[in-house]
Amino acid sequence: MKPLSDGLLRRLRRVADLPDLSDSKYRLIRKLGSGGMGNVYLVEDTVLRREVALKVINIPDPPPDLTARMLREARIIARLEHPGIVPLHDVGELPDGRVYYTMKRVQGSSLERYSKSIEPLSERLRIFQRICQAVAFAHVRGVIHRDLKPENVMVGGFGEVLVMDWGIAKLQEAPDEKAAGGEGVASDDFSSGPQTRSGTVLGTPAFMAPEQARGQVEAVDARSDVYALGAILFFLLCRKNPPLPEAEPAFTKQLAWDLAAARAEDRPLSRPLRAICTRAMAWDNSARYDTVTALIADIEAFLDGRAVSAYRENLLEIARRFLFKYRFLAGLVLTYLIIRLLMIFFFRP
Amino acid sequence: MHDDTHIGGAGSRFPQTRGSAIIAARSGDAETRNRGYAALVAGYWKPVYKYIRLKWHQSNEDAKDLTQGFFAQAMEKEFFQGYDPAKARFRTFLRTCLDGYIANENKAGKRLKRGGNAQIMGLDFENAEGEIRELQLSAGTVPEDFFERESLRSLFEVALARLKEACETAGKMQHYRIFERYDLREDEAEKITYDQLAAEFDLPVSQITNHLAYVRREFRRLVLEILRELTASDEEFRSEVREVLGVDPE
């Protein structure tokens, strides 16, 4: 037999990895990319005649319960109907046993790339708010993302923000269902098979809460996502990755140092904004915001010029904020007072 | 690099072990052990031979002897018993053993026909030698990277040989020929469409795509099967699959 040329070898590697869609309604167009959990392909849904993204979980020889677990995961993600979460269309199994999903094809760029082009601080914070809203919704439905990072947030052509890659998400009892006494979902960890055992580190180090980085699966909850959101906020404010949560107090010091050195629109970041980021990224999860909703509330308060829960202001700061918020009114009053003074001075009887 | 004889024949059949050949090679049962060794030899003899030629600058004859000798001694002295999947990949371990073996041989000045005398299976060295000539190696080739790449090439060659055999057995040679024509074409620039294939094989396009899907599925299965045989643990297997099949998007 003739030896395989390098070109042929490359082609065969691709061929061996291609999903076999011969018995499905999908037609393969091309590969879009690959990640830790699998490969993503652009395919055509030949029935609906639309292009969708197909993700194949690339775990060969999966353990027997994996398919069932993946199906369950798909069903749960399918419940996350929110404008900020990529909708899942279909789930199935390839003839070789690999599980696949199809989901909306998202065109745009990752937050990592997109953030380089946004200058105004308020716009960065508005995008951040939209990310938080999607995550808050998932939390209400009992789903913890566990791998939030700028790479996993897409900003579409019309400015829509989408939180992607729920592959290593964790399912907890959904608070809304618990309150409503509905069909509760038992606390479980439904990411792919053996990778979720306690002690196994899942996620991306710079955006991973300390408890997650230590592999304490049981300790990972909504506050771990709050940490990751804080890390995304840090990324948006400082335009770089946050320090790695390796050891205290070095981590907190570095965080404070970086935030103090950051500038937005040629001005240092305000203390309340730095405090919001610091609180979201607190080393100890009990010191963080309890919920993403609380984090959103603080961001909203900051944007509206109100006091934020993460920062206790002194009187001077309250006055300054008040004056800044009502600067138009303050200007009018001041003008009135000046005119009044001038009148008293010039038109004294 | 191409001045001498060749030994062995076309014996490139890959013995199936139905599991890890590494574990089989450490078995207490002689028959299982032999089968495991035979599978490892079949999977690695070619990269080993080429690596000896490149890194150790041995002549064709000496490289043949050293290849045979290495595998013979690995079996005799149970080299692979010491392999720990937690410490390194088997391929790396094998290469380290090989370097140690050749260094010892050189040190002792034992450039004997040791391997040649202990020929353990018919290996088509002429074919391997021809491949070295075709590869047109540059002076900057790193031997360790070369060994990795050649191991991969060997794996796919073995998978293709098995695929052809499986298609023959299943009476699906037409399927294989379509695969050969479409996926194994040498000319990168040649663009073949399904319509062209359909005309060439006198089949409807849907059948062409189905046949192609069948062979590709089989091919993937066989690649995974061989990888399973050439690894010792689930973790190593999965990591190898990611490495072997984890190719960049086009």
Side-chain angles (χ1 to χ4, degrees), chain A residues 104-346:
Chain A
K104 180 186 167 184
R105 184 197 180 190
V106 180
Q107 283 174 301
S109 51
S110 71
L111 182 65
E112 200 175 19
R113 211 180 308 161
Y114 184 80
S115 65
K116 287 174 190 154
S117 65
I118 24 174
E119 197 45 50
L121 179 66
S122 58
E123 196 184 329
R124 280 184 263 166
L125 293 177
R126 297 272 176 224
I127 286 178
F128 178 68
Q129 259 187 317
R130 272 177 264 158
I131 302 168
C132 290
Q133 280 157 1
V135 177
F137 175 80
H139 286 184
V140 169
R141 307 295 285 169
V143 181
I144 314 289
H145 188 289
R146 294 204 294 186
D147 196 17
L148 292 166
K149 55 184 172 182
E151 260 176 87
N152 283 343
V153 175
M154 292 286 285
V155 184
F158 299 100
E160 68 272 30
V161 175
L162 290 155
V163 178
M164 318 269 294
D165 212 338
W166 298 78
I168 60 167
K170 179 179 177 178
L171 179 66
Q172 289 190 320
E173 191 168 0
D176 61 340
E177 290 180 345
K178 189 181 175 186
E183 178 208 349
V185 187
S187 174
D188 193 10
D189 192 336
F190 66 96
S191 57
S192 49
Q195 293 180 53
T196 58
R197 286 189 300 259
S198 186
T200 308
V201 177
L202 291 169
T204 306
F207 294 86
M208 214 191 281
E211 65 274 14
Q212 199 176 342
R214 287 194 298 265
Q216 295 171 329
V217 172
E218 295 307 316
V220 172
D221 59 19
R223 291 169 300 179
S224 308
D225 273 358
V226 168
Y227 178 94
L229 287 169
I232 291 176
L233 178 61
F234 179 99
F235 175 83
L236 287 169
L237 296 175
C238 303
R239 297 182 188 273
K240 64 176 186 177
N241 281 356
L244 290 174
E246 286 171 339
E248 266 293 76
F251 167 75
T252 305
K253 274 186 189 165
Q254 184 63 45
L255 189 67
W257 175 265
D258 286 344
L259 286 167
R263 297 178 74 81
E265 292 156 11
D266 284 334
R267 280 203 302 264
L269 297 176
S270 70
R271 284 174 189 220
L273 188 56
R274 276 151 51 187
I276 293 173
C277 190
T278 308
R279 183 165 172 197
M281 290 183 75
W283 180 272
D284 185 359
N285 61 5
S286 62
R288 288 176 214 150
Y289 292 97
D290 280 340
T291 62
V292 178
T293 313
L295 171 60
I296 296 172
D298 254 4
I299 292 287
E300 252 167 28
F302 176 78
L303 285 168
D304 290 351
R306 289 182 279 117
V308 302
S309 73
Y311 184 68
R312 187 187 291 271
E313 295 170 313
N314 58 35
L315 277 173
L316 194 66
E317 285 168 324
I318 293 172
R320 198 188 299 152
R321 180 171 51 76
F322 190 81
L323 280 174
F324 185 75
K325 187 179 177 186
Y326 298 106
R327 53 191 178 279
F328 182 69
L329 191 67
L332 279 178
V333 170
L334 194 67
T335 311
Y336 169 76
L337 288 174
I338 290 169
I339 291 170
R340 194 66 203 255
L341 273 172
L342 288 171
M343 283 174 76
I344 292 167
F345 184 75
F346 286 112

Side-chain angles (χ1 to χ4, degrees), chain B residues 185 187-193 196:
Chain B
R185 66 186 187 280
D187 187 0
E188 286 278 324
E190 188 190 5
K191 301 278 178 208
I192 306 174
T193 64
Q196 277 174 301

Side-chain angles (χ1 to χ4, degrees), chain B residues 189-207:
Chain B
E190 188 190 5
K191 301 278 178 208
I192 306 174
T193 64
Y194 291 150
D195 289 327
Q196 277 174 301
L197 282 180
E200 206 175 301
F201 286 87
D202 197 19
L203 290 170
V205 172
S206 60
Q207 219 162 327

Side-chain angles (χ1 to χ4, degrees), chain A residues 4 6 11 13 20 61, chain B residues 153 183 185 217 228 244:
Chain A
L4 297 175
D6 287 348
R11 194 187 311 148
R13 289 172 74 185
D20 174 9
D61 214 5
Chain B
R153 202 186 310 277
D183 285 329
R185 66 186 187 280
R217 195 162 58 231
R228 172 67 80 189
V244 168

Side-chain angles (χ1 to χ4, degrees), chain A residues 1 3-8 11-18 20 22 31 59-61 95-96 98, chain B residues 127 131 134 153 156-157 160 183-186 188 213 216-217 220 228 238 241 243-245 247 250:
Chain A
M1 199 172 81
L4 297 175
S5 66
D6 287 348
L8 195 48
R11 194 187 311 148
L12 284 175
R13 289 172 74 185
R14 256 194 322 262
V15 163
D17 202 31
L18 287 177
D20 174 9
S22 55
K31 190 172 179 177
I59 299 171
D61 214 5
D96 62 15
R98 285 185 291 170
Chain B
N127 178 294
E131 285 180 26
E134 284 200 22
R153 202 186 310 277
F156 276 88
E157 281 174 0
L160 280 176
D183 285 329
L184 296 184
R185 66 186 187 280
E186 274 297 339
E188 286 278 324
R216 284 174 169 177
R217 195 162 58 231
R220 178 183 165 84
R228 172 67 80 189
R238 292 202 170 104
V241 170
E243 200 173 312
V244 168
L245 303 181
V247 284
E250 283 173 283

